[in-house]
Amino acid sequence: MEWVPTVFIAFKVSVLAIGMFYAIKWHYDKARKENGAQKQRALLRAGGVVVVVFVFLLAALLLLTFGLGSMLGIDLTFS
């Protein structure tokens, strides 16, 4: 009975990931037909910059959290 939540969560994540993939693909194909390649390239470049900034800020927050936790003497190990 302990494996049921794991299977349900894995199924939910896979269904949502597939749905997001096809939603993004549909919007991407629709924009290519309407706007042209140059506008789409600029939009993809801007989206890539947003993703890079997000990942950088997430890493900085993680380092800040672990740094503050160790400074306060909190044990943040995974084991």
Side-chain angles (χ1 to χ4, degrees):
M1 218 39 199
E2 294 177 8
W3 58 270
V4 173
T6 305
V7 171
F8 285 151
I9 289 171
F11 178 73
K12 182 177 182 178
V13 166
S14 64
V15 167
L16 288 175
I18 291 169
M20 284 190 297
F21 171 78
Y22 282 115
I24 291 169
K25 183 181 181 317
W26 180 77
H27 282 91
Y28 181 83
D29 291 342
K30 184 178 173 187
R32 187 175 3 176
K33 288 180 185 176
E34 292 176 359
N35 294 333
Q38 189 175 15
K39 285 185 180 179
Q40 190 174 12
R41 246 182 262 124
L43 183 63
L44 287 174
R45 187 173 293 126
V49 169
V50 168
V51 167
V52 168
V53 168
F54 176 76
V55 168
F56 175 73
L57 289 174
L58 186 65
L61 180 64
L62 183 68
L63 289 174
L64 180 69
T65 301
F66 278 106
L68 183 64
S70 65
M71 194 168 70
L72 293 174
I74 301 171
D75 184 26
L76 296 175
T77 58
F78 292 110
S79 56

